Amino acid sequence: MASSSVAADMELDHPNLEDYLPPDSLPQEAPRNLHLRDLLDISPVLTEAAGAIVDDSFTRCFKSNSPEPWNWNIYLFPLWCFGVVIRYGILFPLRSLTLAIGWLAFFAAFFPVHFLLKGQDKLRSKIERKLVEMMCSVFVASWTGVIKYHGPRPSTRPHQVFVANHTSMIDFIILEQMTAFAVIMQKHPGWVGFIQKTILESVGCIWFNRNDLRDREVTARKLREHVQHPDSNPLLIFPEGTCVNNQYTVMFKKGAFELGCAVCPIAIKYNKIFVDAFWNSKKQSFTMHLVRLMTSWAVVCDVWYLEPQYLREGETAIAFAERVRDMIAARAGLKKVPWDGYLKHNRPSPKHTEEKQRIFADSVLRRLEEK
Amino acid sequence: MGSTSSMLTQYDIEEVQDHCDHAFSQQEIVSLYHRFCQLDRNGGGFVSADEFMSVPEFAVNPLSQRLLRMLDGLNFKEFVAFLSAFSPRTSLQQKIEFIFRVYDTDCNGKVAFEDILSILRDLSGSFMTEEQRQKVLTHVLEEAGYTKDSHFTLPDFMKVRSSSFSRSIYSSHKSNQLS
């Protein structure tokens, strides 16, 4: 499957909503009378099912492509071994050291400022923001991040929200290095959770629980409040809701697009030659993911800040989300799929199946009337 | 071929090819193997119902439960044999036989009124009443010269089905997905 031709790939990755059209919409004959053979002919439905078993556009979004091994002959292998020694023996310890020193410096500065300047909120926020930006730069240095930023830097003013495609939690760190964003995140366990609770609170973070449905309204309200407050940091949202492998984008959740303010898209694309930055949270913990990044040569990526978009006349939030997704996908060279990212954890809602059933039932009943 | 190791030998491929009556080329079998390993996340050597249902495109299919009953616990060889009905290289007869197997839930070699009704139920869900379904089915059966109590065996099925094959079932573009 990895060697399928580009042309076949293009055809398959076309938003395959056509697959979900009813069998009736194939080469159309005028609705004719219903015969036994028509009723018995379940082959289109079976073909769709078999097609899904053989290949489907959703699983493709989360496949980490293993890099082609290049160390396969007698000249290249020693070179590769040498590279491994340097990466694991020299670079990794140096980077870990940088990271450790950075963390120490950060904590040494952060906690005193946090507690001593309790009264002077504005000054404290400013310093904490700078500290967070600095810490993110240290992180980026610890994987030798080579990041090119294109486009105008985000400005800190209210009534705007930033959206970006999501490949790994390092997306946040890369963006945070340039501007101290506030972010909306799923609460994580372990040391990541600890950092979320203590440090990210200072730049302003909104927590939510993916699995709690009631949480949605509460979260929507918090988002709105944040965006309207003049002192809060610009808000960064990853509308895909999950990490995708930087070759595809899944559907954007409309929450970020119905806040009644400007939406500034950001496109992020990683260069796979150096390292595949996709974090498959089911396969690896974040720590292992970081270790992998720190033992590669570099993390190279491009970040594009795109033009702020506004909701147009008569456009729904979902259409708006799709339009912004088009922009980001076009800029970063990603393919779009019509699936919701949460399907990684949940089953599709029965209403999709019901829609197909409805179409089938309608066509049968309609042709029966044709007598 | 019990465990899904990532190495597939030439002997394995030929064995699978024989088992499915050469419905797939060797390259297609290799691709199917990659796909099988991808679906079989816990590496148990077979794809469980849960793993199939995690493919959203499959889960939204109205006949998914029915197919799951046929697919559950299949090892790779049986998986390829299952899919062989969808290859352009299999004969019309074998394809109709596959459809017959889908209909014949109790595997007694006969498809009765109740069996067809149950598929109709899967396909139309809550959008047709039980009464409407019975009415439609009785009507088309009578029109074709059968009654409510008729049983279809495989030859009967072929006779009914092969009278109309204007649409290509299992269109060959799906087989392009494999290569």
Side-chain angles (χ1 to χ4, degrees):
Chain A
M1 209 69 88
S3 51
S4 56
S5 69
V6 175
D9 247 342
M10 290 300 289
E11 182 203 45
L12 292 174
D13 286 324
H14 205 66
N16 28 3
L17 292 166
E18 289 91 57
D19 276 353
Y20 307 101
L21 292 175
D24 262 304
S25 72
L26 291 175
Q28 199 59 287
E29 307 133 33
R32 35 187 192 91
N33 300 336
L34 199 58
H35 296 291
L36 181 61
R37 57 172 182 264
D38 301 318
L39 213 54
L40 290 182
D41 188 3
I42 50 173
S43 44
V45 183
L46 291 179
T47 315
E48 270 176 30
I53 293 175
V54 167
D55 188 19
D56 76 294
S57 56
F58 186 70
T59 321
R60 260 182 268 149
C61 294
F62 301 100
K63 205 157 76 114
S64 12
N65 295 315
S66 38
E68 305 257 327
W70 59 272
N71 55 358
W72 44 266
N73 74 14
I74 193 156
Y75 316 114
L76 297 175
F77 190 68
L79 200 62
W80 177 77
C81 284
F82 185 57
V84 168
V85 165
I86 296 194
R87 277 189 290 136
Y88 282 81
I90 302 179
L91 287 182
F92 182 57
L94 269 179
R95 287 169 176 172
S96 310
L97 194 62
T98 317
L99 199 57
I101 295 179
W103 273 119
L104 285 173
F106 176 76
F107 280 125
F110 185 81
F111 282 122
V113 165
H114 191 74
F115 291 115
L116 295 177
L117 291 181
K118 259 229 157 79
Q120 303 154 297
D121 276 343
K122 259 200 142 66
L123 181 61
R124 184 174 71 146
S125 304
K126 213 156 148 239
I127 298 183
E128 284 177 347
R129 255 204 295 264
K130 282 288 161 227
L131 282 176
V132 171
E133 279 178 26
M134 180 219 83
M135 191 56 225
C136 289
S137 303
V138 168
F139 247 121
V140 171
S142 79
W143 344 292
T144 320
V146 178
I147 304 169
K148 254 209 342 224
Y149 296 93
H150 310 261
R153 303 292 174 263
S155 40
T156 318
R157 52 182 189 191
H159 299 296
Q160 62 178 359
V161 87
F162 290 83
V163 300
N165 59 311
H166 199 28
T167 306
S168 159
M169 286 230 277
I170 67 174
D171 291 339
F172 169 66
I173 299 177
I174 286 173
L175 293 176
E176 192 78 359
Q177 183 194 216
M178 182 58 63
T179 328
F181 287 110
V183 73
I184 167 170
M185 285 178 99
Q186 168 89 8
K187 264 218 160 84
H188 280 89
W191 63 270
V192 181
F194 169 71
I195 294 182
Q196 285 180 324
K197 266 194 298 264
T198 49
I199 299 165
L200 295 181
E201 287 287 352
S202 69
V203 282
C205 284
I206 300 175
W207 310 117
F208 74 97
N209 190 349
R210 205 179 267 157
N211 303 315
D212 191 346
L213 290 168
R214 280 163 306 133
D215 211 30
R216 257 182 232 170
E217 287 140 40
V218 174
T219 312
R221 190 179 39 85
K222 288 194 210 166
L223 284 178
R224 227 179 299 260
E225 281 167 8
H226 185 107
V227 162
Q228 305 194 335
H229 198 276
D231 285 334
S232 49
N233 290 322
L235 184 61
L236 176 63
I237 299 182
F238 294 109
E240 285 173 314
T242 188
C243 292
V244 185
N245 74 355
N246 210 229
Q247 282 181 294
Y248 295 90
T249 53
V250 295
M251 300 212 71
F252 278 9
K253 304 220 170 310
K254 63 180 165 79
F257 299 89
E258 38 187 26
L259 297 171
C261 60
V263 169
C264 313
I266 304 178
I268 308 178
K269 179 77 172 170
Y270 292 90
N271 189 332
K272 271 237 196 28
I273 298 181
F274 293 92
V275 74
D276 183 0
F278 170 49
W279 178 39
N280 194 340
S281 54
K282 287 196 167 174
K283 290 217 174 115
Q284 266 182 338
S285 70
F286 190 55
T287 319
M288 283 317 296
H289 176 64
L290 276 186
V291 166
R292 188 162 69 98
L293 293 179
M294 281 167 63
T295 52
S296 324
W297 290 108
V299 173
V300 179
C301 81
D302 284 286
V303 174
W304 290 276
Y305 294 104
L306 303 173
E307 192 185 323
Q309 300 295 312
Y310 299 87
L311 189 67
R312 293 191 185 145
E313 275 294 317
E315 201 180 30
T316 60
I318 296 180
F320 185 26
E322 274 303 286
R323 185 161 60 87
V324 171
R325 185 161 83 115
D326 281 338
M327 282 178 71
I328 293 183
R331 181 70 267 191
L334 307 170
K335 298 184 198 136
K336 295 169 49 181
V337 293
W339 294 108
D340 175 350
Y342 281 1
L343 289 173
K344 216 166 143 192
H345 310 275
N346 307 320
R347 297 269 171 270
S349 101
K351 68 172 192 268
H352 295 104
T353 320
E354 280 167 15
E355 183 56 27
K356 293 181 182 230
Q357 288 173 328
R358 188 188 62 79
I359 293 173
F360 176 80
D362 279 347
S363 89
V364 166
L365 291 173
R366 191 171 23 105
R367 285 162 74 178
L368 205 57
E369 310 298 315
E370 295 286 319
K371 294 287 164 199
Chain B
M1 294 271 312
S3 65
T4 42
S5 62
S6 48
M7 295 311 295
L8 200 61
T9 67
Q10 181 63 25
Y11 179 71
D12 292 330
I13 297 179
E14 284 171 5
E15 196 187 324
V16 170
Q17 222 184 11
D18 272 333
H19 189 78
C20 70
D21 278 335
H22 292 261
F24 292 114
S25 72
Q26 300 205 347
Q27 175 60 34
E28 287 168 345
I29 292 182
V30 173
S31 303
L32 278 175
Y33 187 67
H34 288 311
R35 176 63 174 179
F36 187 80
C37 292
Q38 192 186 46
L39 289 173
D40 178 20
R41 263 177 252 146
N42 60 1
F46 63 93
V47 184
S48 66
D50 211 44
E51 285 163 342
F52 274 117
M53 288 303 272
S54 69
V55 176
E57 212 173 303
F58 180 79
V60 300
N61 194 295
L63 294 180
S64 55
Q65 289 305 318
R66 201 168 273 268
L67 288 173
L68 274 181
R69 251 176 276 146
M70 295 167 79
L71 278 166
D72 199 15
L74 294 183
N75 66 16
F76 179 60
K77 206 161 69 168
E78 294 159 353
F79 175 73
V80 174
F82 177 86
L83 288 176
S84 63
F86 296 90
S87 156
R89 294 191 193 89
T90 44
S91 66
L92 184 55
Q93 173 151 3
Q94 286 169 313
K95 292 179 199 264
I96 298 182
E97 206 179 307
F98 180 80
I99 300 186
F100 187 82
R101 268 171 52 210
V102 175
Y103 269 99
D104 185 15
T105 20
D106 48 9
C107 300
N108 60 359
K110 295 198 287 252
V111 170
F113 186 80
E114 194 45 53
D115 293 326
I116 308 181
L117 199 62
S118 126
I119 290 238
L120 206 53
R121 219 174 280 136
D122 283 341
L123 290 175
S124 58
S126 52
F127 296 93
M128 276 175 84
T129 65
E130 193 58 24
E131 202 183 79
Q132 281 175 319
R133 284 191 274 257
Q134 299 229 1
K135 179 162 150 241
V136 165
L137 197 47
T138 322
H139 176 93
V140 291
L141 277 174
E142 278 166 4
E143 193 206 20
Y146 296 96
T147 66
K148 247 183 97 157
D149 303 313
S150 308
H151 290 261
F152 292 94
T153 56
L154 189 53
D156 294 326
F157 218 69
M158 304 245 196
K159 200 164 57 153
V160 175
R161 288 302 317 280
S162 49
S163 47
S164 95
F165 243 62
S166 50
R167 294 188 215 158
S168 63
I169 68 171
Y170 321 124
S171 59
S172 56
H173 96 264
K174 286 297 177 189
S175 82
N176 287 345
Q177 277 181 285
L178 296 176
S179 42

